[in-house]
Amino acid sequence: MPTTYIANTDHYNLVLFRVASVRKSLWIGTADIKDLYVKVGTGTKPFLAVLAQLVRKGVEVRLIHAKEPGPAFREDFDQYPSLIEGMERALCPRVHFKLLVFDCQEAYIGSANLTGAGIGMKGENTRNFEAGILTDDPALVSQAIQQFDSVWMGLHCKTCKRRQFCADPIA
């Protein structure tokens, strides 16, 4: 797939659709995560249900986010034991990037948080104005992987000047 610029509803149509088709790994980096719902046929279901299904299929799912999500997210999360045991999570209050890396072959790099207003099902007139790219360009994918991985491995933790705000330091 060539690099594709995406805006508004394209985030939902292209990026979230791609999430459901990963085979080996899905890395998600977002500043904010909320109780996001996705379309399934004629109905809807929590995005966490999609992630739980991936985990049950043996997909490596990693999530880095900046703060603990709210109570609605926690209620949904607790309904999926496979996520509790199988999804890897890290908190970093400095994370502001929005990245999704699909099977280390494609990446979404953009502005949309993992929220209804950012990348989800909010209506056209209530959704945030977002922009991003979905790409399989090796140089862009490699940069996204390197940025995600450096935070995931805690490479910035020892010199971080925001450590006092970190509830669960990575390293």
Side-chain angles (χ1 to χ4, degrees):
M1 152 194 320
T3 300
T4 304
Y5 170 77
I6 53 181
N8 296 333
T9 57
D10 288 341
H11 283 85
Y12 183 82
N13 295 330
L14 296 173
V15 177
L16 290 183
F17 176 77
R18 182 65 184 93
V19 166
S21 67
V22 296
R23 296 175 185 214
K24 296 178 183 175
S25 64
L26 174 65
W27 295 359
I28 303 168
T30 185
D32 195 10
I33 185 167
K34 292 186 178 172
D35 196 32
L36 172 66
Y37 280 72
V38 297
K39 294 178 190 174
V40 178
T42 59
T44 63
K45 70 177 176 180
F47 181 66
L48 290 170
V50 175
L51 296 181
Q53 184 176 11
L54 292 174
V55 167
R56 286 191 303 274
K57 289 180 180 177
V59 173
E60 170 195 83
V61 177
R62 290 182 173 177
L63 170 64
I64 301 174
H65 51 105
K67 61 183 179 180
E68 281 295 341
F73 179 92
R74 290 295 321 167
E75 277 184 38
D76 268 353
F77 187 86
D78 292 343
Q79 293 179 32
Y80 301 99
S82 61
L83 292 180
I84 295 167
E85 297 169 14
M87 183 173 78
E88 300 175 88
R89 287 189 329 133
L91 286 170
C92 175
R94 290 180 57 198
V95 165
H96 199 263
F97 55 65
K98 287 75 173 183
L99 299 173
L100 284 93
V101 179
F102 310 101
D103 293 325
C104 293
Q105 300 296 312
E106 295 175 84
Y108 162 75
I109 305 164
S111 65
N113 280 307
L114 216 55
T115 66
I119 203 166
M121 291 182 55
K122 287 260 182 169
E124 190 63 35
N125 295 321
T126 55
R127 180 179 283 123
N128 295 342
F129 299 117
E130 304 287 359
I133 60 169
L134 182 61
T135 185
D136 65 355
D137 178 285
L140 291 172
V141 173
S142 177
Q143 288 296 312
I145 289 170
Q146 287 176 16
Q147 184 174 26
F148 185 98
D149 215 25
S150 72
V151 175
W152 184 260
M153 293 174 21
L155 295 180
H156 308 283
C157 290
K158 291 185 182 185
T159 59
C160 181
K161 303 277 188 206
R162 308 273 304 156
R163 195 168 177 99
Q164 72 271 24
F165 302 104
C166 193
D168 189 16
I170 297 168

